[in-house]
Amino acid sequence: MGFWSWLFGTLSEPSGSAPTEPGRGDARRPAGGPMTAVAERPATQEQASPDSDSDQTPWWTPQADSLLEPAEPQPPEPAADALALENLLISHFDGHDLTVPSLNNMAERVLPKLRHTDCNFAAVAHDIAEDQVLTAAILRTVNSPIFRGVERVSSVRRAVARLGTRTLRTLLMHQSLRGAIFSRRGAANCFAEMLWRRSLASACIMRGLARFTRIDEDDAYLLGLLHDIGSVIVLRIVHAEEKGGFADVDLDTFEYLCRQSHQEFGELIADAWKLPADVKSLIAAHCTHPHPDDPLRIQRLMLILTDMIAAVLCFAPSVNYNLIQCRAARDLGLSDRRDYADWLTVLPAEIDDFIAES
């Protein structure tokens, strides 16, 4: 896809557009009440692959009534408030009177430097040191089990040199998305936490699926991270409406609004961030089955399957999907692959570790 080459080239030009650590699982709303609890996902201990001698059943084992296609969202009951907010969101699809979240200022400043083969890490470290949040994220990453060396790193300059350009680029995109999600405080912040965990889980799932599809893992990772970015605008509008006196929006309504609107809003953000045409196309349309001759068919199928996996793991509204025989898995050639089933078995623990390290 050439994602990084395109993105870092375009970011060398100025753009004209303007919490707590993520936890396990997804926030769920108990019946009849506000979102107050966190649902447990399927246990990751002692999970077995299909032919294992263990008595434990893998979490992904298909059920008799499991679905093979993505479920269509239904307005929550009572539907009046949800439909009123949906109409309000639709009125913003043209981008008028809408403030689109901008790319992180530090990302715009540093990414062009990272694309050079003779990158001056000292200059990059000097820039990054001006941003306390980004500095903390980089030091946390460099001292994580993946990158930790013999000694703990406490200087930004050493951290930048150890991580290298590719990891730094990913961290900058992380911070841009995180900043866009957590730019508002208030009642909607629990939804922001949920969106952030979902983005990280999707990135991890897409990177794993890339092993089976010959899609570049870094491209897949960024697509997973960004494909639902339009939900950020839904979050902002819901927050503004609640501040203006609209009744508090519950989780079911928020999820419905995101599903109905996130692709259109995602396209607006992709334009504002000057993302590549392929990435913009995937952000703008990834919920319906692609046409056989679609040049981005594999990526769209991966995103559909990613969303289905996230739903079964409760990072999204819980749905009982057959992740082995569903249409997306079949079209990707995964239904008869033992290594795909093995990967699914260990995936929950993989996601937990990734979120903890992120």
Side-chain angles (χ1 to χ4, degrees):
M1 192 191 312
F3 176 86
W4 286 118
S5 299
W6 199 100
L7 177 60
F8 303 134
T10 58
L11 284 174
S12 61
E13 300 177 1
S15 171
S17 306
T20 58
E21 289 295 324
R24 292 183 56 177
D26 195 357
R28 310 300 301 159
R29 182 178 65 82
M35 184 169 66
T36 57
V38 175
E40 290 298 325
R41 293 192 283 101
T44 60
Q45 298 298 320
E46 300 181 351
Q47 291 169 328
S49 53
D51 300 329
S52 172
D53 293 333
S54 169
D55 292 333
Q56 297 293 325
T57 301
W59 65 269
W60 48 263
T61 301
Q63 305 299 313
D65 58 347
S66 54
L67 302 180
L68 301 178
E69 300 278 0
E72 288 296 323
Q74 300 297 324
E77 295 294 341
D81 286 349
L83 295 177
L85 281 171
E86 183 181 2
N87 289 332
L88 175 65
L89 293 171
I90 291 172
S91 72
H92 288 295
F93 281 177
D94 59 6
H96 293 160
D97 301 320
L98 186 66
T99 302
V100 177
S102 58
L103 189 64
N104 181 285
N105 289 334
M106 189 57 67
E108 286 194 306
R109 183 172 166 185
V110 172
L111 283 173
K113 297 179 181 179
L114 294 177
R115 73 184 181 92
H116 295 296
T117 54
D118 57 345
C119 175
N120 186 336
F121 285 116
V124 169
H126 180 270
D127 289 341
I128 289 174
E130 297 178 13
D131 187 320
Q132 293 182 344
V133 174
L134 182 58
T135 295
I138 285 176
L139 291 176
R140 184 167 60 246
T141 300
V142 78
N143 288 301
S144 69
I146 295 177
F147 294 98
R148 187 180 298 145
V150 178
E151 299 178 353
R152 184 175 181 83
V153 175
S154 57
S155 80
V156 179
R157 185 167 181 172
R158 287 183 60 197
V160 165
R162 178 173 293 182
L163 292 176
T165 58
R166 204 168 187 84
T167 301
L168 288 172
R169 292 164 180 169
T170 301
L171 280 170
L172 286 165
M173 294 303 293
H174 265 241
Q175 291 306 114
S176 292
L177 178 59
R178 186 180 177 91
I181 291 176
F182 290 104
S183 65
R184 300 288 189 274
R185 296 183 181 275
N189 204 51
C190 55
F191 296 151
E193 195 70 44
M194 178 186 68
L195 292 180
W196 178 239
R197 289 195 301 269
R198 184 178 302 170
S199 296
L200 293 175
S202 297
C204 185
I205 295 168
M206 281 289 288
R207 183 174 59 187
L209 287 175
R211 306 167 193 166
F212 306 105
T213 59
R214 296 184 180 180
I215 296 298
D216 181 85
E217 288 191 18
D218 291 303
D219 286 347
Y221 176 89
L222 263 296
L223 286 175
L225 189 72
L226 299 176
H227 77 291
D228 283 341
I229 194 171
S231 296
V232 173
I233 294 182
V234 179
L235 177 71
R236 292 183 173 202
I237 293 176
V238 164
H239 178 69
E241 290 301 309
E242 288 180 340
K243 285 186 66 177
F246 195 91
D248 287 349
V249 175
D250 64 21
L251 177 61
D252 289 341
T253 299
F254 179 72
E255 293 281 21
Y256 172 77
L257 295 173
C258 285
R259 178 57 190 258
Q260 295 296 86
S261 307
H262 74 282
Q263 293 184 124
E264 288 81 3
F265 287 141
E267 186 174 11
L268 294 178
I269 296 177
D271 279 333
W273 288 18
K274 295 186 177 181
L275 295 181
D278 285 356
V279 176
K280 175 183 172 181
S281 175
L282 290 164
I283 289 174
H286 58 263
C287 292
T288 56
H289 210 79
H291 194 273
D293 61 1
D294 184 343
L296 298 174
R297 182 171 181 269
I298 298 300
Q299 291 91 331
R300 293 192 209 280
L301 289 171
M302 289 170 64
L303 287 170
I304 290 171
L305 185 55
T306 290
D307 286 343
M308 295 174 79
I309 293 172
V312 176
L313 288 175
C314 296
F315 283 102
S318 181
V319 181
N320 182 17
Y321 288 122
N322 183 330
L323 300 177
I324 301 298
Q325 295 300 328
C326 66
R327 186 180 179 187
R330 292 199 313 270
D331 285 359
L332 287 169
L334 301 177
S335 295
D336 297 323
R337 292 188 60 163
R338 169 61 185 269
D339 54 350
Y340 169 64
D342 289 342
W343 171 71
L344 284 176
T345 299
V346 302
L347 179 60
E350 226 176 75
I351 294 174
D352 283 343
D353 290 343
F354 173 69
I355 290 178
E357 293 168 2
S358 295

